[in-house]
Amino acid sequence: MGILNVTPDSFSDGGHFNTRERALRHAEQMAKAGADIIDVGGESTRPGAAKVSLQEELERVIPVIEAIAERINIAISIDTSKAAVMRAAVQAGASLINDVNALRAPEALKTAIELHQPVCLMHMHGEPGTMQNNPQYEDIVNDVRTFLLERAGQLRQGGFSTRQILLDPGFGFGKTTAHNLHLLRHLATFSRTSHPVLVGLSRKSMLGAITGRQLSERLPASLAVAYQALQNGARILRVHDVAPTLDIVKVWQAIQETP
Ligand code: 8Y7
């Protein structure tokens, strides 16, 4: 899964044309590099990021989804927590809902059930603005697992099958580096549920904490954790660097297929 952030660039003159064109080119590059899914997001969920209005989020992501659906043969995921964005995105061609808030926003659960597209439920402790302020857990693996299975149960009651509900422990969302490492080490707890497991570790700050590297220098560390995630049962990797990630997926697969 290649990450496509659709947030206005500093060169755009108030309109969204440059942003859209750049987003489409980036999507084309990731598709060519071998991505199976493009995850389109219009609201930054990074710690401390400003919230985006519904209108603004729709204006950012919907034209991009329409353009990708029209021009590229690839699955499109919509990264949103808002019910109205989910609805418009699926209408425009998205076939996966990626919600870092696990359908807790008003109407989100009901809307996802109506739309009946696969959903990725991600665990987040607290709110983006404050989630990194001393997060605490009783037992992180169990707490995250219990939360995700409760949310999954809601979708199952709405007629979803286990395979249509992806689980994601939400690396970096209200977690210390120690919490993240513990979740990665015990990721098999999530794959053992029979739900597909999706992870987002690409360039995250825990990798900066471990290696001392800036964002732009975190590819080797990102590949190392991607490999470990595959080994522990993850089947969808949400990444910035599609081509290098696909290489490590191929190496991992070749090793798995060897007796
Ligand atoms: C994740 C995510 C982000 C993640 C899923 C970033 C939207 C922060 N991280 N969605 N989104 N899982 N499912 O660094 O880990 O990419 S945004």
Side-chain angles (χ1 to χ4, degrees):
M1 171 186 274
I3 301 170
L4 186 64
N5 287 320
V6 190
T7 42
D9 62 77
S10 47
F11 305 105
S12 108
D13 49 3
H16 291 284
F17 182 76
N18 289 344
T19 310
R20 278 177 209 167
E21 282 306 303
R22 281 171 45 151
L24 191 63
R25 275 202 296 278
H26 189 196
E28 277 165 352
Q29 278 168 11
M30 291 193 289
K32 218 172 138 209
D36 293 319
I37 308 168
I38 303 280
D39 187 39
V40 180
E43 178 183 41
S44 178
T45 29
R46 280 175 202 291
K51 288 196 175 171
V52 173
S53 73
L54 170 62
Q55 195 55 35
E56 177 68 24
E57 196 177 335
L58 287 169
E59 282 172 20
R60 287 181 187 179
V61 298
I62 300 307
V64 171
I65 292 172
E66 285 171 349
I68 296 172
E70 194 175 300
R71 295 193 231 173
I72 313 175
N73 183 21
I74 196 161
I76 303 166
S77 158
I78 175 65
D79 156 20
T80 192
S81 296
K82 296 189 183 83
V85 178
M86 293 172 191
R87 194 179 290 286
V90 169
Q91 175 75 31
S95 57
L96 173 66
I97 294 167
N98 175 28
D99 186 1
V100 299
N101 204 29
L103 305 176
R104 287 178 294 174
E107 304 287 308
L109 177 65
K110 182 171 152 270
T111 302
I113 289 170
E114 272 173 38
L115 295 171
H116 207 84
Q117 300 298 315
V119 173
C120 176
L121 297 171
M122 198 199 80
H123 174 273
M124 169 164 51
H125 181 72
E127 303 263 320
T130 52
M131 66 189 177
Q132 291 306 104
N133 299 345
N134 191 26
Q136 300 203 21
Y137 298 85
E138 187 88 24
D139 167 349
I140 183 154
V141 175
N142 192 53
D143 290 4
V144 171
R145 181 179 169 278
T146 301
F147 169 81
L148 291 176
L149 289 180
E150 186 279 324
R151 300 308 296 161
Q154 301 280 333
L155 283 176
R156 292 182 57 108
Q157 279 189 12
F160 278 59
S161 70
T162 306
R163 306 295 299 174
Q164 289 175 306
I165 309 164
L166 286 56
L167 303 186
D168 181 341
F171 291 100
F173 286 82
K175 285 130 190 148
T176 63
T177 295
H179 290 142
N180 290 320
L181 289 171
H182 197 70
L183 284 168
L184 181 55
R185 209 169 150 79
H186 296 277
L187 197 66
T189 303
F190 300 95
S191 43
R192 276 197 295 268
T193 62
S194 300
H195 290 278
V197 172
L198 185 156
V199 296
L201 287 154
S202 185
R203 301 182 187 172
K204 282 199 174 163
S205 66
M206 63 179 278
L207 304 176
I210 296 167
T211 63
R213 302 278 184 196
Q214 297 304 309
L215 264 179
S216 63
E217 302 173 326
R218 293 181 190 160
L219 176 58
S222 298
L223 296 175
V225 285
Y227 197 93
Q228 186 63 46
L230 284 173
Q231 188 61 22
N232 291 1
R235 290 298 172 265
I236 302 179
L237 306 173
R238 182 180 179 278
V239 302
H240 300 88
D241 304 285
V242 173
T245 304
L246 196 55
D247 281 1
I248 68 111
V249 170
K250 286 176 181 169
V251 170
W252 177 82
Q253 270 175 336
I255 295 170
Q256 300 316 300
E257 287 160 9
T258 302

